[in-house]
Amino acid sequence: VGDSKDFDSEVESICPFCGVGCQISLKVKDNKVKYVEGINGPANEGRLCVKGRFGFDYIHHDHRLTKPLIRRDDAPAKGLNVDPGNWQEFFREATWDEALDMAADGMKGRGREVAGFGSAKCTNEEAYLFQKMIRQGFGHNNVDHCTRLCHASSVFALIENIGSGGVSASFNEIENADVAIVIGANPAENHPVAATYFKQFAKRGGKLIVMDPRGQALKRHSSHMLQFRPGADVSMLNAIMHVIVEEGLYDQQYIDAYTENWEAEKAHLTDFTPEKMSEICGIAPEMLRDVARTFAGAKSAMIFWGMGVSQHIHGTDNSRCLISLALMTGQVGRPGTGLHPLRGQNNVQGASDAGLMPMFLPDYQSVMDDGVRSAFSDVWGSGDFSNEKGLTVTEILDAVHAGDIKSMYILGENPAMSDPDVEHARDALAKLDHLVVQDIFLTETANFADVILPASAFAEKSGTVTNTNRQVQMGRPAVPPPGDAREDWWIEVELAKRLGLGWTYESPAEVFAEMKLNMGSLNNISWDRLERENVVTYPSLSPTDPGQSIVFGSGFPRVDGRAKFTPANVIAPNESPDAEYPMILTTGRQLEHWHTGSMTRRASVLDAMEPEANCSLHPSTLRKLGVEPGGILRLTTRRGTVDVMARSDRAVAPDMVFLPFAYVEAAANILTNPAVDPYGKIPEFKFAAVRVEKAEQS
Ligand code: SF4
């Protein structure tokens, strides 16, 4: 930590990692970020976790891309691991003009042969431009981003049942609650600053009900810990709701005033007795009854969930249950109540809001609605585009294998690490005849690129981002991009010009002004206002309203203002453990590393704290396998094999193994199951049958 003598300037911006959206002050000396402090943003009140505080120096790493690169004619095969210090064997430097011309030439006029992956790490303006380029430039909706891999099923269920994909209340509302459920989320590792509010809530006597197949740090603060069997969410939640119905604990007045389909839900729940469901979920009937009484008896209660809920083939059903639980007890729309899917990346909420999805234009307006498309075409000054929903992330890569998609533009995403059954994804990338990758490092995906466009890190650009609380916040540049690297929006505009789209934007502020024309969510929020105030929550009711942190107090944005109950059935995971693959593999993040590791593994403090790929198993399982902590295990699924160091962790059930997905040398997604939820099209990252054995070198 430095003092005022240690820096030349300080710039306020937003942490680039998780969806909490902590506001930070970047302390700059000699055009380098020297250190970071938390400032008084509404989501963090000065707090930061280890990533926000110490994870910034990747922006000055010598692996940064500083020049546009073009694949050499005599380069070795696509996909081979390119040493960032020795890329010359694969690529040659190019001018911006040459690289942009070549990038555009490989896409121009190719219509449905082109698809795009944008990024939740980019700003709202950059996400908006990206989806606009695909729709306006190629006439279809084959554009998506990593929301497909994190909360797509939650968003589907929320839109289906309450008419909006955002949270109904900020996580800070927990201070007004007396009961809170945290299910399928591990905030102490993945949303650490939010977790501090959850701990304070428990400390002042709030009842914290934690539901997670894996033990976790919040267990110590919980009133109830339900370590249920992986994949058994629906049976557990339906049993809890069964008790609420059976004992008449529901809020009939609220149900009558604000919901529909209650009688069907009530009838559906009849069979889900705690005694029967206990056999599936592994939680004792008395515990299920106690949780039902505690939640239904609360004056105000909230539900938080994460990817343990969403990343299943029944992820949408899991979310439907949580929505039904909140509706039947009237726990929406008041202080201390609400539904809150904790969003993963720092701008996954904003990128989704900005239309970076194949079925929705900005503000979740359907691509199938003629009036909506025409409103966008009018603003864009271009013709109509397809009224068919586009392909999702995994469908796009399947279409590459089928030979239907041949050219891709990938901005800031790393599907060669992040997609399920990643060898299938890598094979698809290798098959493309034209791949443009825009990023700040030579990622695993860039190994397959024909053209690489060097982009900017968060501390090098202007733009707005939207956190899990629906808070639109202003990011500001503190240092210049290295070498010839450029801001992402600038690169998009230059590419669009070469695609003949006639874009003339000269700043992100201009893009934001255009977004407002067809995004009611941004009413009363302007660039100038964000410059002045740093943050405004949407919806904002007037130019001076800081925004509504709680919504749906007087009905829902659905027909007749009513939310809907959608009954959910128990569906088993796509593959079950058997004699050949007897254990359960689950994947996720660790506190110190972020997603595919491209940034945090180049952050010196974080890398020093967690330098090595690892997996966690219960000590009794390790004993049975004859492996000491620190020994090497071989994990094998129907997709592939990885060897990885073992850790002993009592929080992991004896039949499970937990594998973080940040490490390229033991890429978790070599093992994961690509089966998807039928509605949200999200893969089942949280459950695969796996064989675990001692590796030969152990
Ligand atoms: Fe950054 Fe999230 Fe940590 Fe806040 S909690 S500092 S947003 S990683």
Side-chain angles (χ1 to χ4, degrees), residues 640-655:
T641 295
V642 302
D643 288 355
V644 59
M645 179 185 72
R647 275 190 182 155
S648 173
D649 184 352
R650 288 185 184 282
V652 180
D655 60 348

PDB file of all heavy atoms in Angstrom, residues 640-655:
ATOM      1  N   GLY A 640     -12.332 -37.438 -21.970  1.00  0.00           N
ATOM      2  CA  GLY A 640     -10.877 -37.369 -21.971  1.00  0.00           C
ATOM      3  C   GLY A 640     -10.282 -37.576 -20.591  1.00  0.00           C
ATOM      4  O   GLY A 640     -10.972 -37.984 -19.645  1.00  0.00           O
ATOM      5  N   THR A 641      -8.986 -37.243 -20.489  1.00  0.00           N
ATOM      6  CA  THR A 641      -8.215 -37.523 -19.267  1.00  0.00           C
ATOM      7  C   THR A 641      -7.358 -36.317 -18.914  1.00  0.00           C
ATOM      8  O   THR A 641      -6.792 -35.688 -19.810  1.00  0.00           O
ATOM      9  CB  THR A 641      -7.274 -38.728 -19.513  1.00  0.00           C
ATOM     10  OG1 THR A 641      -8.079 -39.878 -19.747  1.00  0.00           O
ATOM     11  CG2 THR A 641      -6.355 -38.997 -18.339  1.00  0.00           C
ATOM     12  N   VAL A 642      -7.286 -35.978 -17.620  1.00  0.00           N
ATOM     13  CA  VAL A 642      -6.264 -35.017 -17.187  1.00  0.00           C
ATOM     14  C   VAL A 642      -5.577 -35.550 -15.933  1.00  0.00           C
ATOM     15  O   VAL A 642      -6.191 -36.245 -15.132  1.00  0.00           O
ATOM     16  CB  VAL A 642      -6.827 -33.597 -16.886  1.00  0.00           C
ATOM     17  CG1 VAL A 642      -7.524 -32.995 -18.076  1.00  0.00           C
ATOM     18  CG2 VAL A 642      -7.732 -33.590 -15.682  1.00  0.00           C
ATOM     19  N   ASP A 643      -4.306 -35.209 -15.802  1.00  0.00           N
ATOM     20  CA  ASP A 643      -3.549 -35.523 -14.594  1.00  0.00           C
ATOM     21  C   ASP A 643      -3.397 -34.234 -13.803  1.00  0.00           C
ATOM     22  O   ASP A 643      -3.030 -33.199 -14.373  1.00  0.00           O
ATOM     23  CB  ASP A 643      -2.155 -36.058 -14.953  1.00  0.00           C
ATOM     24  CG  ASP A 643      -2.221 -37.463 -15.529  1.00  0.00           C
ATOM     25  OD1 ASP A 643      -3.325 -38.049 -15.558  1.00  0.00           O
ATOM     26  OD2 ASP A 643      -1.163 -37.972 -15.946  1.00  0.00           O
ATOM     27  N   VAL A 644      -3.649 -34.316 -12.501  1.00  0.00           N
ATOM     28  CA  VAL A 644      -3.676 -33.078 -11.719  1.00  0.00           C
ATOM     29  C   VAL A 644      -3.353 -33.374 -10.257  1.00  0.00           C
ATOM     30  O   VAL A 644      -3.640 -34.461  -9.746  1.00  0.00           O
ATOM     31  CB  VAL A 644      -5.059 -32.386 -11.885  1.00  0.00           C
ATOM     32  CG1 VAL A 644      -6.208 -33.266 -11.438  1.00  0.00           C
ATOM     33  CG2 VAL A 644      -5.106 -31.040 -11.209  1.00  0.00           C
ATOM     34  N   MET A 645      -2.748 -32.383  -9.591  1.00  0.00           N
ATOM     35  CA  MET A 645      -2.360 -32.534  -8.191  1.00  0.00           C
ATOM     36  C   MET A 645      -3.592 -32.643  -7.271  1.00  0.00           C
ATOM     37  O   MET A 645      -4.564 -31.907  -7.450  1.00  0.00           O
ATOM     38  CB  MET A 645      -1.535 -31.315  -7.772  1.00  0.00           C
ATOM     39  CG  MET A 645      -1.094 -31.351  -6.323  1.00  0.00           C
ATOM     40  SD  MET A 645      -0.251 -29.837  -5.865  1.00  0.00           S
ATOM     41  CE  MET A 645      -1.583 -28.674  -5.815  1.00  0.00           C
ATOM     42  N   ALA A 646      -3.504 -33.524  -6.306  1.00  0.00           N
ATOM     43  CA  ALA A 646      -4.631 -33.745  -5.385  1.00  0.00           C
ATOM     44  C   ALA A 646      -4.507 -32.874  -4.139  1.00  0.00           C
ATOM     45  O   ALA A 646      -3.413 -32.684  -3.609  1.00  0.00           O
ATOM     46  CB  ALA A 646      -4.666 -35.204  -4.964  1.00  0.00           C
ATOM     47  N   ARG A 647      -5.654 -32.370  -3.703  1.00  0.00           N
ATOM     48  CA  ARG A 647      -5.740 -31.700  -2.406  1.00  0.00           C
ATOM     49  C   ARG A 647      -6.777 -32.410  -1.557  1.00  0.00           C
ATOM     50  O   ARG A 647      -7.751 -32.935  -2.080  1.00  0.00           O
ATOM     51  CB  ARG A 647      -6.190 -30.260  -2.577  1.00  0.00           C
ATOM     52  CG  ARG A 647      -5.050 -29.358  -2.875  1.00  0.00           C
ATOM     53  CD  ARG A 647      -5.491 -27.922  -2.795  1.00  0.00           C
ATOM     54  NE  ARG A 647      -4.362 -27.112  -3.148  1.00  0.00           N
ATOM     55  CZ  ARG A 647      -4.447 -25.891  -3.633  1.00  0.00           C
ATOM     56  NH1 ARG A 647      -5.625 -25.338  -3.818  1.00  0.00           N
ATOM     57  NH2 ARG A 647      -3.366 -25.221  -3.916  1.00  0.00           N
ATOM     58  N   SER A 648      -6.564 -32.355  -0.266  1.00  0.00           N
ATOM     59  CA  SER A 648      -7.506 -32.966   0.658  1.00  0.00           C
ATOM     60  C   SER A 648      -8.452 -31.884   1.168  1.00  0.00           C
ATOM     61  O   SER A 648      -8.010 -30.824   1.599  1.00  0.00           O
ATOM     62  CB  SER A 648      -6.698 -33.560   1.816  1.00  0.00           C
ATOM     63  OG  SER A 648      -7.559 -34.022   2.799  1.00  0.00           O
ATOM     64  N   ASP A 649      -9.762 -32.155   1.082  1.00  0.00           N
ATOM     65  CA  ASP A 649     -10.733 -31.135   1.483  1.00  0.00           C
ATOM     66  C   ASP A 649     -11.991 -31.816   2.024  1.00  0.00           C
ATOM     67  O   ASP A 649     -12.721 -32.469   1.283  1.00  0.00           O
ATOM     68  CB  ASP A 649     -11.081 -30.270   0.257  1.00  0.00           C
ATOM     69  CG  ASP A 649     -12.016 -29.122   0.610  1.00  0.00           C
ATOM     70  OD1 ASP A 649     -12.511 -29.089   1.760  1.00  0.00           O
ATOM     71  OD2 ASP A 649     -12.251 -28.275  -0.263  1.00  0.00           O
ATOM     72  N   ARG A 650     -12.202 -31.660   3.318  1.00  0.00           N
ATOM     73  CA  ARG A 650     -13.357 -32.307   3.951  1.00  0.00           C
ATOM     74  C   ARG A 650     -14.685 -31.765   3.438  1.00  0.00           C
ATOM     75  O   ARG A 650     -15.732 -32.375   3.642  1.00  0.00           O
ATOM     76  CB  ARG A 650     -13.306 -32.096   5.474  1.00  0.00           C
ATOM     77  CG  ARG A 650     -12.253 -32.898   6.128  1.00  0.00           C
ATOM     78  CD  ARG A 650     -12.256 -32.810   7.642  1.00  0.00           C
ATOM     79  NE  ARG A 650     -11.100 -33.564   8.113  1.00  0.00           N
ATOM     80  CZ  ARG A 650     -11.069 -34.877   8.183  1.00  0.00           C
ATOM     81  NH1 ARG A 650     -12.129 -35.578   7.874  1.00  0.00           N
ATOM     82  NH2 ARG A 650      -9.977 -35.498   8.573  1.00  0.00           N
ATOM     83  N   ALA A 651     -14.668 -30.605   2.802  1.00  0.00           N
ATOM     84  CA  ALA A 651     -15.912 -30.016   2.298  1.00  0.00           C
ATOM     85  C   ALA A 651     -16.453 -30.774   1.088  1.00  0.00           C
ATOM     86  O   ALA A 651     -17.621 -30.638   0.731  1.00  0.00           O
ATOM     87  CB  ALA A 651     -15.678 -28.559   1.919  1.00  0.00           C
ATOM     88  N   VAL A 652     -15.594 -31.566   0.451  1.00  0.00           N
ATOM     89  CA  VAL A 652     -16.025 -32.296  -0.745  1.00  0.00           C
ATOM     90  C   VAL A 652     -16.568 -33.661  -0.316  1.00  0.00           C
ATOM     91  O   VAL A 652     -15.935 -34.358   0.481  1.00  0.00           O
ATOM     92  CB  VAL A 652     -14.830 -32.472  -1.721  1.00  0.00           C
ATOM     93  CG1 VAL A 652     -15.256 -33.226  -2.981  1.00  0.00           C
ATOM     94  CG2 VAL A 652     -14.264 -31.110  -2.104  1.00  0.00           C
ATOM     95  N   ALA A 653     -17.738 -34.038  -0.835  1.00  0.00           N
ATOM     96  CA  ALA A 653     -18.326 -35.331  -0.461  1.00  0.00           C
ATOM     97  C   ALA A 653     -17.413 -36.466  -0.928  1.00  0.00           C
ATOM     98  O   ALA A 653     -16.682 -36.318  -1.916  1.00  0.00           O
ATOM     99  CB  ALA A 653     -19.706 -35.459  -1.099  1.00  0.00           C
ATOM    100  N   PRO A 654     -17.456 -37.614  -0.237  1.00  0.00           N
ATOM    101  CA  PRO A 654     -16.529 -38.710  -0.566  1.00  0.00           C
ATOM    102  C   PRO A 654     -16.655 -39.248  -1.991  1.00  0.00           C
ATOM    103  O   PRO A 654     -15.707 -39.810  -2.519  1.00  0.00           O
ATOM    104  CB  PRO A 654     -16.903 -39.797   0.455  1.00  0.00           C
ATOM    105  CG  PRO A 654     -17.478 -39.044   1.609  1.00  0.00           C
ATOM    106  CD  PRO A 654     -18.197 -37.865   1.013  1.00  0.00           C
ATOM    107  N   ASP A 655     -17.816 -39.048  -2.629  1.00  0.00           N
ATOM    108  CA  ASP A 655     -17.941 -39.574  -4.003  1.00  0.00           C
ATOM    109  C   ASP A 655     -17.740 -38.488  -5.068  1.00  0.00           C
ATOM    110  O   ASP A 655     -18.111 -38.655  -6.212  1.00  0.00           O
ATOM    111  CB  ASP A 655     -19.307 -40.245  -4.200  1.00  0.00           C
ATOM    112  CG  ASP A 655     -20.465 -39.277  -3.979  1.00  0.00           C
ATOM    113  OD1 ASP A 655     -20.230 -38.163  -3.449  1.00  0.00           O
ATOM    114  OD2 ASP A 655     -21.603 -39.629  -4.334  1.00  0.00           O
TER     115      ASP A 655
END
